[in-house]
Amino acid sequence: GENVGLHLPTLSVQEGDNSIINCAYSNSASDYFIWYKQESGKGPQFIIDIRSNMDKRQGQRVTVLLNKTVKHLSLQIAATQPGDSAVYFCAERGYSTLTFGKGTMLLVSP
Amino acid sequence: DADVTQTPRNRITKTGKRIMLECSQTKGHDRMYWYRQDPGLGLRLIYYSFDVKDINKGEISDGYSVSRQAQAKFSLSLESAIPNQTALYFCATSDAWTDSNQPQHFGDGTRLSIL
């Protein structure tokens, strides 16, 4: 929704740059992590996921890196495009449900 | 995600009214969830259901109730709405956790305003 981005950390990049969005997670027992993209007026959309037995996973223009030592997750977007402008959330699976981060707003300038 | 449909998309109502938000899915998933989203707070879990006979409270269930009418339908009710329940509400579905990755899939939300 249009108010989702209020008070969120914001990353501003130029079109064509690479973007890195970071997320700190809380539960060292979490075994599965997901990145979501949320555009204005839409629900969160799945981008990429990774299990805790992996350090890196690549998709189309996106890469997720997992550092379990410091409980840190990052999303790298290559050659960022204006259509990538959105709020990005990480989520971790602990026991039976997902816990979501507060999100980062990505703004891409032409 | 058109496979997860929420109705209504927008609703404005008054304090004290009873409200029902509905969610239906065509993905064939067993698990369904209701979340609330407030600016700057991310998504918070209200209730979830792992099958038709299973209902569980989430992080912020007070003031809400749910009904799982069928595998494909999960409704959220506000028995007596109050202004601080003004928010975006999302329904999500997922397959059961197995060794495979099972992300949740979201509807496009209901914007609820309580005056």
Side-chain angles (χ1 to χ4, degrees), chain B residues 3-110:
Chain B
D3 298 321
V4 182
T5 303
Q6 292 185 234
T7 56
R9 290 297 314 278
N10 293 280
R11 179 79 184 271
I12 300 173
T13 192
K14 295 182 179 179
T15 298
K17 294 290 188 181
R18 183 178 187 274
I19 301 160
M20 180 180 288
L21 308 183
E22 301 195 15
C23 178
S24 62
Q25 52 117 345
T26 58
K27 300 186 78 69
H29 288 164
D30 286 326
R31 301 185 174 194
M32 298 187 73
Y33 311 81
W34 275 105
Y35 290 92
R36 168 179 174 158
Q37 187 175 45
D38 298 277
L41 290 181
L43 289 157
R44 294 183 291 167
L45 184 63
I46 305 172
Y47 270 96
Y48 60 103
S49 168
F50 281 178
D51 64 42
V52 174
K53 297 180 182 178
D54 177 76
I55 300 290
N56 303 281
K57 292 183 177 181
E59 177 187 354
I60 53 165
S61 60
D62 287 348
Y64 301 94
S65 62
V66 291
S67 174
R68 185 79 184 268
Q69 300 96 324
Q71 187 206 35
K73 295 184 182 298
F74 192 36
S75 60
L76 175 72
S77 294
L78 287 67
E79 296 302 325
S80 179
I82 55 177
N84 75 1
Q85 292 177 310
T86 294
L88 273 169
Y89 290 85
F90 287 101
C91 174
T93 75
S94 73
D95 213 336
W97 304 140
T98 63
D99 286 338
S100 62
N101 299 344
Q102 294 294 346
Q104 292 180 15
H105 301 269
F106 287 80
D108 280 337
T110 294

Side-chain angles (χ1 to χ4, degrees), chain A residues 1-4 6-8 32 34 36 38 41-44 46 49 51 57 89 93 95-98 100-102, chain B residues 9 31 33 35 37 39-43 45 48 50 88 90 97-108 111:
Chain A
E2 55 269 26
N3 292 332
V4 168
L6 288 178
H7 314 302
L8 290 179
Y32 175 54
I34 310 171
Y36 285 94
Q38 187 176 19
K42 298 278 186 100
F46 169 79
D49 55 10
R51 294 182 67 86
R57 191 168 189 219
F89 295 95
R93 183 177 73 191
Y95 301 106
S96 57
T97 59
L98 294 179
F100 288 81
K102 291 180 171 51
Chain B
R9 290 297 314 278
R31 301 185 174 194
Y33 311 81
Y35 290 92
Q37 187 175 45
L41 290 181
L43 289 157
L45 184 63
Y48 60 103
F50 281 178
L88 273 169
F90 287 101
W97 304 140
T98 63
D99 286 338
S100 62
N101 299 344
Q102 294 294 346
Q104 292 180 15
H105 301 269
F106 287 80
D108 280 337
R111 177 171 294 281

Side-chain angles (χ1 to χ4, degrees), chain A residues 1 11 17 21 23 25 40 43-44 49 54-56 59-60 63 65-67 80-81 83-84 89 99 102:
Chain A
L11 175 64
D17 288 350
I21 300 171
C23 177
Y25 65 92
S40 181
D49 55 10
M54 301 174 69
D55 297 322
K56 179 179 179 179
Q60 186 174 11
T63 300
L65 298 177
L66 175 62
N67 184 330
T80 314
Q81 303 167 0
D84 294 326
F89 295 95
T99 300
K102 291 180 171 51

